[in-house]
Amino acid sequence: MSIEFKIPEAIEKQLQPVRSVAENVMRPESRQLDDNEHARPVKFVHMMWPQMQQMELANLEAALTRAQKSSNGDESQKNGPDNKPRSDRASIANLSLVYMIEMLSWGDAGVYLCIPSSALGGAAINAVGTPEQLERFLRRFTEGEPKWGAMAMTEPQAGSDTSNIQTTATFDPQTNEWILNGQKIFCTSGKLALEESKGLVVVWATVDKQAGRAGMKPFVVEAGTPGALIGKVEEKLGIRASDTAQIILDNCRIPAENLLGNAEVKTGPSSQGFKGAMRTFDATRPIVAASAIGIGRAAFEYTRDLLAKQGIRMDYDKPRWKLTTVQADLLEMEAQLHAAWLLTLKATALLDAKQENQLESSMCKVKAGKAVTWVTQKAVELLGPLGYSTELLAEKWLRDAKINDIYEGTGQINTLIVARTILGYSRTELK
Amino acid sequence: MYSFDMNSEQKMLVETVHRFAEQKMRPFYREAEESRAIPAALVQTGWELGLLPGSIEATYGGFGEYSALTSALYLEEMGWGDVGISLHLLTPNLFAIPIALFGTKQQKETYLTLFCEEEFPKATAAIIEPVIQFDPAELATTAEKVGDNYVLNGSKTFVPLAKTAEWLLVYARENGLTQAFIVPNATPGLDIGESVTMMGVHALTSYQVNLDNVTVPKENRLGGLKGIRLNRLLTVSRIGLAALAVGQARAAYEYALQYAKERVAFGEPIAQRQSIAFMLANMRIEIEATRLMVWEAAYKLDNQEDATKAAVLTKQYADKMVLEVTDGAVQILGGHGYIREHPVELWLRNGRGFATWDGLVMA
């Protein structure tokens, strides 16, 4: 091994068509889709669907192989920092994804979120699903019309404090069904998943309120299930093309086999279910960071190029005191973005290498959320009255960027994770 | 690919330099700072690490090849040990590295061998000038070709170890470009003035140097007719300084973290408060980000990619980061951080220096 900073050729090749979609499909509709909240980026969805089906198929096949092996009790194939399978060659799957999402978000972050895929719901199923569950729930994303998957965790009284969710799952032994009751909010693509396609939502509910985190389990709710209704669809500061839905679960009955993982409530250090859910963040936080950075890059490049047309050019070789404040700001914007990007690449490379990356994924999320919020704010400022007007996209990028410092763990929650990790503190030692 | 693992040689080198920093620099940094001197034995031990000969080709007596990345790795460890002592130990590099990168065959043969011997070499460079608005690309010091000679005029400051240096590399403006000239210590008109005191890094003794019609033969122009590319040297310097800054920041972060876990206020360690814990978390994030920027810029330089922009962004970022982190460390220690019993006040003084040191490290 040696230190290397080089984009793999395969990824560079993959990025060319993605860049073209971002430029030619996403950007031209950016303003219009922002103005008409809840309108769908139909062209983008249909353009991406064939490619997403292929990715879903590859993911499904890999998951099936893994699930079959583990149900055969073949422990040697289990992945983990300590027993990495020997056959496992260096993967670039996550790196490739992160690059793709950065580019799509450079195109339009709201539209990117409408990408037809199993998304976070798929990740949860993929992580613990049995071969039967993988078939039943994920095969649909490889065929037919575009579909969406979603994850419903947040509730009105439980945002960052996910262990406080109140939605209940009660088992009915008569019918062999789980009955879900409660209310979920802020579910990304919830409406697309449950109402506008034959998709699904992974709903987190508690089977035992007394058990706290250990009682929390993920359940798959398929589109068309009676008792699962879309309530309000939120109107937001940004990413307006993406639907953010309330889901009302009113005696929603689902088959027993829709529970992901084990029904058993284990307390103490062995409560792996909830921890497992938290571990999926190790993979998703770098993705959010990458999305942020894509928006930040859009804002930076646009600002830089427009200023250059006015004769204000970057000069990297001048001492700081010879730069105008505008040049100094541009330099700082670029440096901030790059710092965040390198942290993201490292978190992702560790993930691909199946090494521990919880600290790194939180670090890149904190940095990217903060940096890009600042970079997009600065872009609006540097572009003056036009920057603030809706004639340009800068103000939209500012609004879009902000979500990245909030979802998949706010900047503060992720800072807390970094702090606990470096200090070696538990949840009770550092609140 | 993206890979963040050192190779085994680099790992060994980093371990060696870290051990030196821990066992030789750390116990001595305060005394060196207060007495403004380093014992000869420490300098000799530092020299025996062989860091500079490790960057010089075997043809000229060394045993390695130049790699900005490898340098960056050991510079972080040195910065972690002590920046002042490091700048002292790295002074011969200021002369040798530009020669290794731009010297003519003749110049390399003549001078590089001096840097592959057992004794700490007596050589330095003069680039910084005593002005508020210092720009290495537009120096006030001039070089003029007169017959077969160059005549140098101007003044320099922060010239490390100039008093004892046998050789100086003097940067001057010639026809609108910055060039470098090899000047022996005994040259008439070369006046090594009083030592200059800086805010920090007292372990490094540096001097004001005046040049009054200093005349050297045309063969002493670095790189001969081709001269140098200042830009490339500044890139090397920026990456090196940023690496040193990462080490300095890491030292301050580690110290503050340990202190925060031990210091009890209101019945619990102050690290258990988010206001302190979050400062530490952000320090960690910024140090890591800067380190990756340093590595990437160095990687580019080693792989013949244009590293100018990467180095500029990295250096700017590192300047800000090291000041924030060292200042944060003083803040976390509170009143105790302000007292010279703890190292953090010294590290803050060092931290402030990086933004003003363009050209003061070559590795």
Side-chain angles (χ1 to χ4, degrees):
Chain A
M1 276 313 241
S2 65
I3 295 169
E4 215 176 291
F5 288 81
K6 205 169 167 17
I7 174 171
E9 261 174 56
I11 292 183
E12 211 158 14
K13 237 188 224 161
Q14 272 170 19
L15 274 181
Q16 285 166 7
V18 182
R19 182 181 290 119
S20 163
V21 168
E23 251 175 32
N24 304 315
V25 181
M26 301 175 97
R27 282 286 179 94
E29 288 195 325
S30 243
R31 176 57 69 188
Q32 197 196 334
L33 287 165
D34 185 67
D35 285 346
N36 300 297
E37 194 158 9
H38 308 146
R40 301 291 180 220
V42 179
K43 198 174 161 197
F44 171 75
V45 166
H46 285 283
M47 192 160 234
M48 295 308 283
W49 180 235
Q51 202 183 328
M52 296 314 291
Q53 283 173 275
Q54 278 178 24
M55 276 176 71
E56 293 279 351
L57 186 62
N59 286 344
L60 175 60
E61 278 167 0
L64 280 170
T65 314
R66 203 168 50 234
Q68 259 140 18
K69 274 185 183 146
S70 94
S71 69
N72 292 345
D74 186 353
E75 289 293 309
S76 69
Q77 285 301 317
K78 249 189 188 170
N79 294 332
D82 299 319
N83 57 344
K84 204 161 116 183
R86 228 179 265 173
S87 60
D88 210 335
R89 291 178 51 222
S91 153
I92 53 166
N94 287 289
L95 194 66
S96 159
L97 188 63
V98 150
Y99 263 100
M100 182 174 116
I101 282 161
E102 196 271 352
M103 186 62 83
L104 290 174
S105 301
W106 177 90
D108 187 295
V111 173
Y112 138 65
L113 287 166
C114 295
I115 202 162
S117 85
S118 61
L120 294 176
I125 297 165
N126 200 312
V128 292
T130 61
E132 296 71 30
Q133 287 175 324
L134 292 168
E135 274 297 339
R136 267 183 66 214
F137 299 133
L138 297 182
R139 182 63 71 186
R140 71 189 69 192
F141 295 100
T142 68
E143 56 197 23
E145 289 297 299
K147 292 172 198 74
W148 286 265
M151 165 103 96
M153 176 77 91
T154 302
E155 296 180 6
Q157 76 300 328
S160 294
D161 181 10
T162 47
S163 62
N164 189 31
I165 63 169
Q166 302 294 319
T167 297
T168 55
T170 322
F171 191 64
D172 181 351
Q174 310 256 286
T175 59
N176 203 27
E177 285 172 327
W178 289 98
I179 310 167
L180 303 179
N181 275 294
Q183 192 202 129
K184 293 287 174 184
I185 58 167
F186 299 170
C187 175
T188 299
S189 300
K191 191 160 190 259
L192 283 166
L194 284 187
E195 270 189 3
E196 295 182 21
S197 75
K198 301 235 177 296
L200 52 82
V201 177
V202 171
V203 172
W204 285 81
T206 175
V207 295
D208 179 359
K209 275 191 185 172
Q210 259 64 49
R213 285 152 192 266
M216 286 176 59
K217 304 286 173 189
F219 299 87
V220 179
V221 176
E222 295 175 274
T225 308
L229 300 166
I230 296 297
K232 183 164 73 159
V233 179
E234 303 289 346
E235 291 170 346
K236 305 187 296 295
L237 173 66
I239 52 165
R240 291 184 179 163
S242 162
D243 88 69
T244 306
Q246 178 194 33
I247 299 174
I248 297 155
L249 298 154
D250 181 14
N251 284 318
C252 174
R253 287 176 168 268
I254 51 171
E257 304 78 50
N258 284 27
L259 165 71
L260 297 172
N262 206 318
E264 205 181 332
V265 176
K266 288 186 196 158
T267 44
S270 59
S271 66
Q272 294 302 321
F274 183 77
K275 268 191 191 150
M278 296 293 114
R279 300 307 279 196
T280 62
F281 284 130
D282 297 348
T284 55
R285 282 175 178 150
I287 288 174
V288 171
S291 178
I293 292 161
I295 305 171
R297 185 166 65 84
F300 165 72
E301 288 177 358
Y302 191 83
T303 307
R304 181 197 59 194
D305 295 348
L306 204 60
L307 286 168
K309 278 188 195 153
Q310 310 290 319
I312 303 168
R313 281 198 175 73
M314 277 311 303
D315 187 342
Y316 292 98
D317 219 22
K318 274 188 179 160
R320 202 173 169 80
W321 60 268
K322 276 191 178 168
L323 300 176
T324 64
T325 49
V326 172
Q327 287 173 316
D329 278 344
L330 281 174
L331 203 69
E332 182 67 17
M333 286 161 83
E334 194 169 12
Q336 288 287 338
L337 282 175
H338 201 63
W341 181 234
L342 290 176
L343 288 173
T344 307
L345 291 179
K346 184 172 177 188
T348 309
L350 288 173
L351 188 67
D352 275 334
K354 301 193 167 51
Q355 288 175 29
E356 171 66 48
N357 81 333
Q358 193 188 25
L359 174 65
E360 285 78 7
S361 71
S362 281
M363 292 208 297
C364 74
K365 172 72 169 65
V366 171
K367 182 65 194 173
K370 211 189 300 186
V372 173
T373 299
W374 179 80
V375 164
T376 51
Q377 288 172 354
K378 205 72 204 173
V380 170
E381 180 201 328
L382 293 184
L383 294 171
L386 269 190
Y388 195 69
S389 88
T390 56
E391 205 177 309
L392 305 184
L393 287 169
E395 63 83 30
K396 177 188 180 300
W397 289 328
L398 185 162
R399 290 184 287 109
D400 286 352
K402 187 61 205 168
I403 191 59
N404 295 290
D405 206 13
I406 298 172
Y407 64 12
E408 293 300 286
T410 62
Q412 288 63 38
I413 286 294
N414 278 295
T415 307
L416 190 59
I417 292 169
V418 174
R420 281 181 190 150
T421 310
I422 62 175
L423 286 159
Y425 280 164
S426 65
R427 276 188 289 131
T428 46
E429 283 168 311
L430 181 59
K431 285 183 181 147
Chain B
M1 257 313 280
Y2 284 95
S3 159
F4 305 89
D5 296 321
M6 299 177 208
N7 64 33
S8 53
E9 270 174 56
Q10 289 167 334
K11 263 185 213 157
M12 244 165 62
L13 180 65
V14 164
E15 270 167 36
T16 308
V17 177
H18 183 76
R19 216 166 26 244
F20 173 77
E22 193 173 34
Q23 293 170 4
K24 304 290 176 188
M25 294 166 106
R26 278 295 179 92
F28 199 69
Y29 73 90
R30 178 55 78 180
E31 200 183 322
E33 176 75 8
E34 302 285 334
S35 66
R36 298 174 187 276
I38 309 177
L42 176 59
V43 175
Q44 192 53 35
T45 324
W47 178 246
E48 281 163 11
L49 292 171
L51 299 175
L52 182 51
S55 297
I56 295 174
E57 292 168 55
T59 332
Y60 306 110
F63 54 86
E65 61 176 328
Y66 176 74
S67 157
L69 183 55
T70 302
S71 298
L73 296 174
Y74 74 66
L75 284 171
E76 178 178 332
E77 298 310 314
M78 291 182 83
W80 178 89
D82 182 71
V83 176
I85 298 173
S86 296
L87 290 176
H88 184 120
L89 293 175
L90 291 165
T91 296
N93 291 45
L94 294 174
F95 189 93
I97 296 291
I99 290 187
L101 293 177
F102 288 107
T104 59
K105 195 162 178 291
Q106 175 78 51
Q107 285 167 339
K108 287 184 185 174
E109 274 165 8
T110 312
Y111 298 105
L112 286 185
T113 46
L114 303 173
F115 295 87
C116 302
E117 288 170 12
E118 281 172 20
E119 295 277 300
F120 183 70
K122 295 188 165 81
T124 187
I127 181 165
I128 301 177
E129 298 181 337
V131 289
I132 301 170
Q133 297 171 320
F134 169 64
D135 181 354
E138 288 186 29
L139 294 174
T141 302
T142 56
E144 204 185 334
K145 184 112 187 272
V146 180
D148 277 349
N149 295 320
Y150 280 97
V151 180
L152 309 176
N153 277 293
S155 28
K156 296 286 181 182
T157 190
F158 292 178
V159 185
L161 313 182
K163 201 94 184 171
T164 47
E166 285 163 13
W167 300 96
L168 287 88
L169 190 65
V170 176
Y171 291 84
R173 191 172 169 83
E174 181 202 349
N175 294 326
L177 290 176
T178 296
Q179 296 294 345
F181 301 87
I182 298 161
V183 180
N185 197 355
T187 313
L190 182 74
D191 174 37
I192 312 290
E194 291 299 301
S195 66
V196 191
T197 312
M198 298 196 226
M199 180 184 181
V201 294
H202 294 167
L204 174 72
T205 318
S206 71
Y207 296 86
Q208 174 105 13
V209 170
N210 288 305
L211 300 116
D212 181 14
N213 285 319
V214 169
T215 305
V216 292
K218 69 173 194 303
E219 290 74 27
N220 285 25
R221 185 184 198 251
L222 180 55
L225 288 175
K226 276 165 104 181
I228 62 165
R229 276 195 299 125
L230 174 71
N231 183 287
R232 161 118 189 181
L233 285 175
L234 288 178
T235 296
V236 169
S237 178
R238 283 168 181 146
I239 295 170
L241 280 164
L244 214 54
V246 170
Q248 175 62 91
R250 196 181 99 207
Y253 155 77
E254 286 174 5
Y255 196 90
L257 185 139
Q258 203 49 45
Y259 181 89
K261 288 185 82 169
E262 286 163 11
R263 172 71 178 178
V264 172
F266 307 104
E268 61 184 14
I270 59 171
Q272 286 186 237
R273 306 276 166 161
Q274 285 194 352
S275 61
I276 301 294
F278 277 28
M279 278 175 83
L280 290 165
N282 284 315
M283 287 178 176
R284 172 64 181 258
I285 293 169
E286 293 302 323
I287 291 169
E288 175 72 4
T290 315
R291 178 185 295 123
L292 295 177
M293 289 174 90
V294 169
W295 287 10
E296 189 194 37
Y299 176 85
K300 284 188 169 179
L301 190 66
D302 286 347
N303 288 278
Q304 278 76 47
E305 293 174 47
D306 184 10
T308 309
K309 183 167 112 176
V312 168
L313 293 178
T314 303
K315 176 65 172 27
Q316 296 259 5
Y317 202 86
D319 287 347
K320 220 173 114 187
M321 180 281 295
V322 67
L323 189 56
E324 273 169 16
V325 171
T326 52
D327 180 73
V330 171
Q331 193 66 25
I332 286 172
L333 268 75
H336 294 277
Y338 203 73
I339 306 289
R340 297 228 292 276
E341 219 175 277
H342 290 283
V344 289
E345 63 79 30
L346 158 62
W347 291 340
L348 170 58
R349 287 187 283 118
N350 291 350
R352 177 65 281 181
F354 284 93
T356 70
W357 291 338
D358 251 1
L360 205 62
V361 164
M362 294 284 169

